[in-house]
Amino acid sequence: MPMIIDGGTHHDGSKHFSRPAVLRINLEDHVPRDHLLRGVDRFLDLGELRQHLAPFYSHTGRPSIDPELMIRMLVIGYCLGIRSERRLCEEVHLNLAYRWFCRLDLEDRVPDHSTFSKNRHGRFRQSDALRFVFETVLRRCMTEGLVQGEGFAVDASIIKADANRARNASASDVAQWRQGTQCNRAVREYLDALDANNPVAKDALEEVHDKTAASRNISPTDPAAQWTAAPGGPAFYAYSTNYLIDLSAGIIMDVEATPAHRTPEVNSTRTMIDRVEQRFDIRPQRLVGDTAYGTAPLLGWMVEDKQIEPHVPVWDKTVRKDGSLSISEFQWQPERNEYVCPEGRALRNDRRQFTTPRTRITKADTVIYRASQADCVACEMKDRCCPSTPFRKIARSIHEGAREVARSIAQTPQYSQSRRERKKVEMLFAHLKRIMKLDRLRLRGLSGAQDEFLMAATAQNLRRMAKWLMSSEADAAMKTA
């Protein structure tokens, strides 16, 4: 490519700029062979992106900026920890390797930083383009043999939101958001989500908003962010990025943004596993997670609905702290549908008969088994069994069978191996925050968090694929030589 320079050189080697000269510069020659972006470029194919976005572009007016160019610039930013889009545009303008990766010649102009915001909140979000790019990269990982699909791990990590922890909205502020016309995008998104989850009359909905604001701290700039002190220390507003990874090479199979709260984090597991199965026809044989994922409903879903082995510690609150007998000291008799206490007396769930049959399942998805009061009053072990109640009762989860499966798996060598492999997802979170600098979000709202987490996961998969495969090829070349 030509580059015109007015200048020359004196006999003593000093430069002067007086005459025109034309230089031919090939950017390919100025990018080191071991540069990270060479490996990323090898495995990043965005050929189908334009077709995916075609319905969202107008056929009239000025030509639009190439969406592949914007995605490639975002990949550079997330791969190399350039968090500011303004700075990213400056770096692409100055760095030859970045220009080469973006398919820009020296005389080509770099898009303005404002175009990222317009496209991100417009056609990218409407078309789910960032999800499309993530899944395109994931398919390439599968093609390269980095995904086995035998074992998955799931975990969540808290990322600070772009919200001042010292500011919070009162109930009256939230009530005024509905009438306000100057609400920012994150606030409008929050109100729309409340409307969708509470299909009631407007007056009642405003009352829901008031109660929501009164029950927890709400940020006036990003109300969907969760007020949390989970990592320890002072509380702040945050979101959680939830990763589902394949344990063979640590490839991220799916990512989901949720408020930084345990319930939505755990529920996102179902969303991610179902989506991977639907999009790629992959269902793991085992799922590895920490105790937060050992709740009875999730274990029941894994074992009974998905036939997935739960390599997860059981969330168990049945051990009593007052020294009285725990549930484990009662023997379960499945053929008679009853428990037997250490004294040989039965605890049943049907001591009282009803004309209309009942499921006897409580709102907490448990079945209550009760001992006879007459048996308990005359029992010598009453003070150790039920000192503060007239008779002993046991709440058995309807998913207790799945809990027993998880307990039995926890005694196997395969479970110990799974616990060691689970560290791969924690390493990805450490890399996300320390190397890629994503310890605080720049975009607001749940959709903004989802956009950032998707691009970050895409960059991590590209980096992993580039370094893993290129290092393998280098080792093979050395052995051959």
Side-chain angles (χ1 to χ4, degrees):
M1 62 189 65
M3 181 173 68
I4 299 177
I5 301 177
D6 293 337
T9 305
H10 291 293
H11 293 291
D12 60 0
S14 62
K15 301 284 186 179
H16 70 94
F17 298 93
S18 61
R19 64 182 179 82
V22 178
L23 299 179
R24 296 282 178 178
I25 295 180
N26 185 1
L27 291 180
E28 179 77 23
D29 299 335
H30 293 269
V31 182
R33 294 296 170 186
D34 59 347
H35 198 286
L36 172 65
L37 290 182
R38 279 195 178 274
V40 171
D41 181 71
R42 175 179 171 183
F43 299 107
L44 179 62
D45 182 6
L46 299 175
E48 297 181 358
L49 179 62
R50 293 187 186 91
Q51 181 180 356
H52 177 77
L53 287 170
F56 299 89
Y57 281 86
S58 173
H59 298 288
T60 61
R62 292 181 299 174
S64 300
I65 296 175
D66 187 355
E68 180 176 348
L69 170 59
M70 286 186 285
I71 293 297
R72 283 183 172 272
M73 290 180 66
L74 287 174
V75 168
I76 292 174
Y78 281 90
C79 278
L80 301 175
I82 304 175
R83 299 289 295 129
S84 168
E85 290 170 357
R86 187 186 296 270
R87 179 172 166 242
L88 174 62
C89 293
E90 294 173 353
E91 292 291 337
V92 172
H93 175 71
L94 296 172
N95 193 299
L96 295 181
Y98 297 172
R99 279 186 171 270
W100 170 84
F101 181 79
C102 292
R103 310 292 195 263
L104 292 174
D105 292 332
L106 286 178
E107 65 271 17
D108 291 336
R109 293 187 60 182
V110 176
D112 187 80
H113 66 90
S114 62
T115 61
F116 289 99
S117 177
K118 293 178 182 177
N119 283 274
R120 184 173 56 242
H121 296 305
R123 56 178 64 94
F124 280 5
R125 192 161 293 169
Q126 295 167 7
S127 65
D128 210 6
L130 300 185
R131 170 71 62 179
F132 178 83
V133 173
F134 170 79
E135 293 181 352
T136 299
V137 172
L138 179 56
R139 286 191 180 90
R140 183 60 184 269
C141 293
M142 296 177 183
T143 302
E144 298 295 337
L146 296 182
V147 175
Q148 294 183 1
E150 182 273 333
F152 285 179
V154 63
D155 205 355
S157 184
I158 293 176
I159 307 292
K160 291 182 179 179
D162 184 26
N164 189 342
R165 61 180 300 272
R167 296 183 60 203
N168 58 77
S170 64
S172 59
D173 294 333
V174 176
Q176 292 175 1
W177 288 348
R178 173 67 56 184
Q179 290 77 27
T181 59
Q182 302 298 323
C183 295
N184 63 32
R185 191 185 306 272
V187 171
R188 292 197 301 269
E189 181 182 311
Y190 171 74
L191 293 176
D192 291 342
L194 283 179
D195 292 346
N197 294 328
N198 298 275
V200 294
K202 182 178 179 180
D203 293 341
L205 183 58
E206 291 176 355
E207 182 180 353
V208 171
H209 294 170
D210 295 345
K211 291 181 179 179
T212 302
S215 62
R216 69 174 180 90
N217 286 341
I218 293 183
S219 167
T221 54
D222 192 353
Q226 181 74 36
W227 179 255
T228 180
F236 54 88
Y237 296 106
Y239 290 95
S240 288
T241 177
N242 300 270
Y243 275 7
L244 181 70
I245 74 164
D246 183 87
L247 289 172
S248 58
I251 296 298
I252 303 170
M253 301 297 297
D254 204 354
V255 57
E256 185 74 9
T258 62
H261 190 272
R262 177 173 293 166
T263 300
E265 289 173 359
V266 172
N267 291 340
S268 70
T269 305
R270 306 188 188 201
T271 301
M272 293 189 291
I273 289 181
D274 284 341
R275 186 159 50 208
V276 169
E277 183 177 7
Q278 178 184 2
R279 303 281 179 89
F280 304 102
D281 195 25
I282 296 177
R283 182 193 298 178
Q285 298 177 19
R286 59 189 170 107
L287 181 67
V288 185
D290 58 24
T291 309
Y293 301 90
T295 60
L298 187 59
L299 291 175
W301 178 79
M302 282 191 277
V303 174
E304 299 160 9
D305 297 345
K306 291 295 184 179
Q307 291 76 50
I308 298 174
E309 292 183 3
H311 288 230
V312 179
V314 177
W315 182 279
D316 195 351
K317 295 293 184 180
T318 60
V319 178
R320 296 194 170 188
K321 299 180 180 180
D322 59 358
S324 59
L325 299 180
S326 299
I327 294 179
S328 59
E329 299 180 68
F330 290 74
Q331 186 179 3
W332 170 245
Q333 300 288 341
E335 65 279 359
R336 297 201 299 267
N337 188 29
E338 64 182 28
Y339 279 96
V340 177
C341 75
E343 292 295 309
R345 297 178 175 87
L347 286 77
R348 302 189 180 95
N349 70 340
D350 57 353
R351 291 187 178 278
R352 180 182 176 186
Q353 298 297 327
F354 293 90
T355 304
T356 303
R358 300 189 177 186
T359 62
R360 303 184 187 277
I361 299 176
T362 67
K363 293 182 179 179
D365 285 339
T366 61
V367 178
I368 307 299
Y369 291 81
R370 297 175 175 84
S372 168
Q373 185 170 348
D375 290 341
C376 289
V377 169
C379 182
E380 298 178 353
M381 297 185 65
K382 184 179 186 305
D383 291 339
R384 288 188 54 203
C385 183
C386 50
S388 57
T389 57
F391 58 90
R392 180 62 185 261
K393 60 182 179 180
I394 293 176
R396 178 182 174 85
S397 170
I398 61 174
H399 305 294
E400 192 64 31
R403 285 159 56 91
E404 290 298 331
V405 170
R407 292 189 183 99
S408 62
I409 291 176
Q411 308 301 319
T412 63
Q414 292 80 8
Y415 178 84
S416 300
Q417 177 64 24
S418 295
R419 305 312 299 167
R420 291 189 290 270
E421 292 178 330
R422 196 182 72 85
K423 295 179 181 178
K424 292 182 179 180
V425 68
E426 296 174 351
M427 292 170 60
L428 283 170
F429 289 142
H431 179 271
L432 178 72
K433 296 179 180 180
R434 297 181 181 180
I435 306 301
M436 301 176 65
K437 312 298 184 184
L438 189 58
D439 56 350
R440 183 185 179 94
L441 295 173
R442 294 188 66 252
L443 306 183
R444 293 172 178 168
L446 190 60
S447 61
Q450 182 74 2
D451 288 350
E452 290 227 55
F453 296 157
L454 275 171
M455 280 305 305
T458 301
Q460 286 184 295
N461 280 349
L462 283 168
R463 287 178 60 110
R464 176 62 58 92
M465 185 163 38
K467 292 188 174 182
W468 187 294
L469 296 178
M470 293 187 73
S471 62
S472 300
E473 292 177 357
D475 294 342
M478 292 180 61
K479 292 180 180 178
T480 304

